[in-house]
Amino acid sequence: MDFIKRSKEEDTLFELINNLIKNNYILVDVEYNNADEYVTVFVESLKENSIDNISSVNGIIYEHLEKVDFLKNNFSLEISSPGLFRKIRHKYELDIFKNRNIKITLIDKSVLTGINNGINGDDIAISVDGEIKNINLNSIKSVHLNG
């Protein structure tokens, strides 16, 4: 599976934001659109994923983002939960979403759905109908959360 690499700017934002929220939230991903000056932050709450709880991240991080050199004064910030059917973009997300229902599409176009048991070397372990299957990451076309 070809995981998406974050840009240098996204890495900078990820590190900054993660340090600010890591006690109450799991930072799943940061997307930065340089052309539109748009930052999207995907978080999971360690307590509950209510709209009010997730949106409170804005108040925690906005003033710190205003001090980031490459962000201009009028950048836009969106805070979001990853969503029920998020496409897994980074290998570490497979550990974040351990024990969650996932859908794996293999390169040969076959599809597996089951419970994510996490990464084991170059494989992902998935429980399908009570049977653990180890799928090599290189044989995977895509992985999505499945509800």
Side-chain angles (χ1 to χ4, degrees):
M1 179 172 172
D2 290 329
F3 292 101
I4 296 172
K5 288 189 67 104
R6 282 194 299 262
S7 68
K8 184 177 117 183
E9 292 86 1
E10 288 169 332
D11 279 340
T12 298
L13 293 171
F14 190 95
E15 185 176 331
L16 171 67
I17 294 167
N18 192 48
N19 286 331
L20 293 168
I21 68 170
K22 65 184 173 188
N23 292 331
N24 296 308
Y25 300 90
I26 298 169
L27 180 57
V28 175
D29 200 8
V30 174
E31 294 177 6
Y32 171 62
N33 182 321
N34 186 25
D36 295 331
E37 290 296 320
Y38 201 85
V39 178
T40 307
V41 178
F42 296 94
V43 295
E44 284 271 310
S45 174
L46 294 174
K47 297 174 185 167
E48 66 172 311
N49 276 328
S50 68
I51 292 172
D52 289 338
N53 193 1
I54 296 298
S55 65
S56 70
V57 171
N58 188 310
I60 297 168
I61 68 173
Y62 194 86
E63 70 182 58
H64 297 278
L65 294 180
E66 288 180 310
K67 298 173 187 170
V68 174
D69 289 339
F70 59 84
L71 291 177
K72 301 197 174 42
N73 292 334
N74 53 359
F75 70 92
S76 296
L77 175 63
E78 176 184 0
I79 309 297
S80 180
S81 71
L84 295 175
F85 300 97
R86 174 181 175 76
K87 180 178 182 178
I88 302 299
R89 296 169 27 103
H90 308 282
K91 185 177 179 179
Y92 67 85
E93 289 183 60
L94 294 169
D95 286 326
I96 291 174
F97 297 118
K98 191 173 182 177
N99 299 318
R100 296 271 299 268
N101 199 10
I102 59 172
K103 177 180 174 183
I104 298 175
T105 304
L106 300 174
I107 292 171
D108 70 4
K109 301 203 182 345
S110 60
V111 176
L112 298 169
T113 57
I115 303 300
N116 172 15
N117 289 331
I119 295 290
N120 184 12
D122 289 333
D123 294 345
I124 180 172
I126 180 174
S127 176
V128 179
D129 298 326
E131 179 185 344
I132 303 293
K133 296 181 183 259
N134 290 300
I135 310 297
N136 187 279
L137 294 174
N138 292 324
S139 67
I140 296 175
K141 180 177 179 184
S142 66
V143 179
H144 289 80
L145 293 180
N146 197 31

